Amino acid sequence: MAKQRVLIYSQTFAPDHSGISIYASDYAFYCAENGYDVDVITGFPFYPQWQKRKEDEGKLFATEVIDNVTVHRGYLYVPHNPSAFQRIMHEVSLTFFAMINSFRVKRPDVIVVFTTPVLLGVLAAFMNLFWRRKLVINVQDFQVEAAYSLGMLKGSAMLKIINALELWSYKKADYVSSISGSMLDLLRDRKKLPENKILFWPNWTHNDEKTFVKPEAGLFRKKFNFSPSTKLIGYAGNVGKKQGLDILLDTAVEFAHVPDVQFLIIGEGADLERLKAYAAEKSIRNVLFMPFLNSSEYLEFLADVDAVFISQVKVPFDIYFPSKLLGIMAMRQLLIVNADAKSELYKTTKKNDIALVSDYGDMATLKKYIEMVITNDPVIEDYKSEAEKFVVQFGREVVLSNIARVLSDESVPAIQEAEVVNQ
């Protein structure tokens, strides 16, 4: 009997190691580990730095094999600090060359698209008019709603076109999946999808007990010259306006007089330079800005930090549960969350007692939490323990084996599981 063929579309893929690429890559590797023939159609590596590797500059196509996965790469335009128009050109170039690569792969049995961008889902739906195979659009972010929240292209004809194309692609898909209960609700209520098309496919942790080796404690501190006695409280990820990291800088000011407390902002993004200027203006000396860490350094950071800080300002359609929180909890690390009380992030972490949670801008509560870290409050271990229990349901094998059964018609999508994330 011939092996099943799985085709995956994704804007980013390994060696990119942030955002969607983490899940698109690992799903591909999981399929290959379980005996499927796997093709991936993607662009050249560029994320999260928004910069291609020198060896990829000028290339139109390339094919390589990574861990038994055949990766077909096509040219894409990569602006370093993309404007709204440049992002559109980026996505158009990605989709155009992905379309060409679509004619270079054998007819798949299952097609999985990790979106955004919307255009990749549209391309897969178009190609499936010819292939007529099972199509799953995995929605990691809602591009139209995100653009609306950020005031980009608001009310424009372009946004209406993208919305219409998105709905068409959803109509043509067998399943449209997403990663949290609130995102599934948006598919039902705003996108008007029937229940039998909606699939709960949460993101998952990569700390597989069979293969994962936890980093040795102290490596991050040694590499970056932090004393073992220094309390490290850090954010790591995209540094954008939505993250609202002003609140971390303001919190650091409150502890300027406390020795051996260091705040970290690790990453890059559109708001980085403004935050650096803000820190300079206020003469904040206990905050260190660091560039993106590679995947091994990030795990070393999680092993050594005393608390991981996550914040989100209030925006419309605040329905996202940051998937990186799963990896943080799997490492049995303390989370300090400062987010709008109506957001998915706040509601999930508060309801399940998996983080020290405060409403965005609540400086008094946030200050109390930092003091708990400094004094090694025993209650911290309770939050770590609850987080460790919570994250078990999002283990790699648990999530992906269920998806494999669904796509093999061996079971029915377990929509009710979304309630776990939506609590």
Side-chain angles (χ1 to χ4, degrees):
M1 184 177 177
K3 292 182 180 179
Q4 266 208 320
R5 302 195 66 87
V6 176
L7 173 61
I8 297 167
Y9 287 91
S10 179
Q11 180 183 30
T12 55
F13 194 80
D16 290 337
H17 59 275
S18 183
I20 291 175
S21 61
I22 296 173
Y23 299 99
S25 302
D26 197 48
Y27 176 64
F29 300 145
Y30 178 86
C31 290
E33 290 163 15
N34 284 274
Y36 296 91
D37 282 332
V38 186
D39 288 294
V40 173
I41 293 178
T42 186
F44 288 94
F46 75 95
Y47 194 78
Q49 295 85 0
W50 278 86
Q51 185 173 355
K52 287 184 187 177
R53 303 176 301 188
K54 286 187 178 180
E55 62 265 32
D56 295 331
E57 292 177 1
K59 288 184 180 178
L60 295 182
F61 298 99
T63 300
E64 60 182 314
V65 177
I66 306 175
D67 292 344
N68 297 317
V69 172
T70 304
V71 183
H72 307 270
R73 301 190 186 274
Y75 173 82
L76 73 167
Y77 165 63
V78 181
H80 189 59
N81 292 302
S83 64
F85 176 75
Q86 287 174 322
R87 281 183 181 272
I88 291 170
M89 295 307 298
H90 167 80
E91 293 175 10
V92 168
S93 66
L94 168 74
T95 307
F96 176 77
F97 284 91
M99 179 180 66
I100 296 174
N101 271 328
S102 297
F103 292 100
R104 301 173 65 194
V105 299
K106 293 181 181 179
R107 186 185 186 191
D109 298 296
V110 175
I111 308 116
V112 176
V113 192
F114 288 83
T115 64
T116 61
V118 164
L119 289 179
L120 268 188
V122 174
L123 171 62
F126 172 75
M127 292 302 303
N128 205 34
L129 295 176
F130 306 98
W131 288 327
R132 297 194 178 279
R133 296 304 201 197
K134 187 170 291 183
L135 171 62
V136 183
I137 297 179
N138 179 284
V139 182
Q140 296 277 319
D141 197 357
F142 287 100
Q143 193 168 20
V144 173
E145 284 69 25
Y148 176 84
S149 297
L150 297 172
M152 298 171 63
L153 305 174
K154 191 173 180 180
S156 69
M158 177 64 71
L159 203 57
K160 292 178 182 177
I161 292 170
I162 294 172
N163 184 58
L165 288 171
E166 178 188 58
L167 294 177
W168 178 82
S169 68
Y170 290 174
K171 182 179 179 181
K172 296 298 180 183
D174 293 275
Y175 294 116
V176 180
S177 69
S178 203
I179 62 178
S180 78
S182 293
M183 293 175 78
L184 295 183
D185 287 341
L186 191 147
L187 290 175
R188 295 185 186 98
D189 302 335
R190 189 173 175 87
K191 308 297 181 181
K192 305 299 181 184
L193 292 186
E195 201 68 32
N196 63 358
K197 267 201 176 188
I198 298 173
L199 172 64
F200 178 48
W201 183 347
N203 286 337
W204 57 96
T205 64
H206 299 78
N207 298 7
D208 189 318
E209 292 182 1
K210 297 178 182 177
T211 58
F212 179 72
V213 178
K214 188 174 182 178
E216 179 185 341
L219 293 177
F220 178 82
R221 290 175 180 268
K222 184 177 181 180
K223 186 177 293 184
F224 296 102
N225 298 314
F226 295 117
S227 164
S229 62
T230 300
K231 291 293 183 181
L232 297 179
I233 299 160
Y235 168 84
N238 182 54
V239 183
K241 291 183 179 180
K242 183 181 179 182
Q243 281 69 42
L245 291 171
D246 303 69
I247 192 70
L248 183 58
L249 295 178
D250 292 337
T251 303
V253 171
E254 296 293 319
F255 292 89
H257 63 287
V258 182
D260 289 332
V261 177
Q262 179 71 63
F263 295 85
L264 307 174
I265 294 179
I266 302 171
E268 298 172 17
D271 209 31
L272 179 60
E273 294 307 316
R274 187 193 66 80
L275 288 171
K276 285 183 176 180
Y278 182 69
E281 177 188 336
K282 290 205 165 191
S283 300
I284 304 174
R285 304 190 185 281
N286 57 347
V287 174
L288 179 64
F289 291 90
M290 301 174 65
F292 270 116
L293 304 173
N294 63 38
S295 54
S296 60
E297 288 173 337
Y298 177 69
L299 290 176
E300 291 166 2
F301 159 74
L302 291 183
D304 280 5
V305 73
D306 293 284
V308 179
F309 181 82
I310 303 288
S311 59
Q312 282 185 359
V313 297
K314 182 177 181 177
V315 295
F317 304 109
D318 202 346
I319 56 177
Y320 306 103
F321 183 77
S323 297
K324 65 182 176 182
L325 267 65
L326 301 177
I328 295 167
M329 290 187 284
M331 287 283 286
R332 209 175 189 278
Q333 190 50 267
L334 176 68
L335 279 165
I336 297 178
V337 172
N338 192 247
D340 180 67
K342 294 181 180 179
S343 68
E344 178 84 358
L345 171 60
Y346 182 100
K347 290 186 289 185
T348 300
T349 51
K350 185 77 172 178
K351 179 71 175 181
N352 293 284
D353 289 326
I354 55 179
L356 297 173
V357 189
S358 58
D359 198 0
Y360 187 80
D362 182 354
M363 183 63 73
T365 303
L366 193 51
K367 185 178 178 181
K368 182 182 74 173
Y369 290 160
I370 302 299
E371 289 170 348
M372 289 170 64
V373 174
I374 293 171
T375 59
N376 296 317
D377 192 310
V379 77
I380 286 174
E381 289 303 313
D382 295 334
Y383 283 97
K384 289 182 179 180
S385 179
E386 288 303 312
E388 191 175 34
K389 294 175 187 175
F390 175 83
V391 82
V392 168
Q393 64 191 306
F394 302 106
R396 183 180 192 251
E397 184 62 32
V398 173
V399 172
L400 295 184
S401 62
N402 181 61
I403 294 302
R405 287 192 296 271
V406 170
L407 299 187
S408 298
D409 291 325
E410 294 176 17
S411 69
V412 177
I415 299 300
Q416 66 273 15
E417 293 184 31
E419 295 174 5
V420 175
V421 186
N422 199 30
Q423 289 176 334

